[in-house]
Amino acid sequence: EVQLVESGGGLVQPGRSLKLSCAASGFTFSNYYMAWVRQAPKKGLEWVATISTSGSRTYYPDSVKGRFTISRDNAKSSLYLQMNSLKSEDTATYYCARHSLTTVATDYWGQGVMVTVSS
Amino acid sequence: DIQMTQSPASLSASLGETISIECRASEDIYSNLAWYQQKSGKSPQLLIYAANRLQDGVPSRFSGSGSGTQYSLKISGMQPEDEGDYFCLQGSKFPLTFGSGTKLEIK
């Protein structure tokens, strides 16, 4: 069974940093592109980052480019999101998601972890 | 960036009714379109990928269609468990972009 379990969320002050982790199991992690997607309270979904199988290619929207870094450790079947210079608008539930092998669609999602940026 | 315009924002349907949700892309996305369902307090679930391919385990009352810039999700025979929010996602180009969502409720 595919499982994605996020951790590392919490309350953080504006301008500070936080690192999210996602532990993957039930599939060959190194074969899949992975992503982070977020959802602000009562709002829609926003794609945050994608990383290639080896980690050599990463993609971000302008809203987080230069502040967030996605990375992975295939030996540990783990995905990470380093978030720096956090802003109040980064407050959201962050989901770890697996991209499908055949399309860009994300076919499995974790349960999400809440990040609150507030003083 | 490709903009995804999703409509309607909300929809109320009777049990057994057939409903449609639309997504329009700001440019051709070559069927790189997925649909998700999100129930209250849960993470999104993939329903449709590549515009019209049903994800494993998804009931056949869900179907997707469209091409170019216009896509739709149809539910043929609304069931109580279909209540929730629905989102489209374009995967043609980075940055990936979602539609704004449709809240579907039972009438």
Side-chain angles (χ1 to χ4, degrees), chain B residues 20-23 33 35 48 51 63-66 70-74:
Chain B
S20 286
I21 298 169
E22 312 289 326
C23 265
L33 192 285
W35 290 98
I48 301 285
S63 63
S65 64
Q70 298 274 102
Y71 298 87
S72 63
L73 171 72
K74 185 166 75 172

Side-chain angles (χ1 to χ4, degrees), chain A residues 33 37 39 43-47 50 59-62 95 99-100 102-112, chain B residues 1 32 34 36 38 42-46 48-50 55 85 87 89-92 94-100:
Chain A
Y33 277 51
V37 179
Q39 186 170 35
K43 298 293 186 183
L45 299 167
E46 181 186 15
W47 167 76
T50 286
Y59 308 86
Y60 307 94
D62 287 345
Y95 295 100
H99 282 291
S100 160
T102 53
T103 76
V104 179
T106 46
D107 57 2
Y108 284 92
W109 297 56
Q111 83 288 352
Chain B
D1 298 1
N32 288 298
Y36 296 86
Q38 185 178 31
K42 301 292 188 182
S43 54
Q45 301 291 313
L46 178 65
I48 301 285
Y49 64 94
Q55 175 69 355
D85 296 324
F87 297 91
L89 168 69
Q90 72 79 18
S92 177
F94 288 106
L96 307 181
T97 45
F98 287 91
S100 53

Side-chain angles (χ1 to χ4, degrees), chain A residues 63-116:
Chain A
S63 58
V64 306
K65 195 176 294 183
R67 299 189 300 122
F68 289 12
T69 302
I70 187 172
S71 62
R72 65 191 298 160
D73 185 335
N74 286 340
K76 295 182 177 180
S77 295
S78 293
L79 180 71
Y80 306 100
L81 185 67
Q82 176 68 46
M83 303 184 292
N84 298 332
S85 303
L86 282 161
K87 306 174 182 181
S88 58
E89 51 263 43
D90 296 319
T91 293
T93 296
Y94 285 73
Y95 295 100
C96 166
R98 187 184 84 169
H99 282 291
S100 160
L101 276 177
T102 53
T103 76
V104 179
T106 46
D107 57 2
Y108 284 92
W109 297 56
Q111 83 288 352
V113 63
M114 185 68 200
V115 173
T116 302

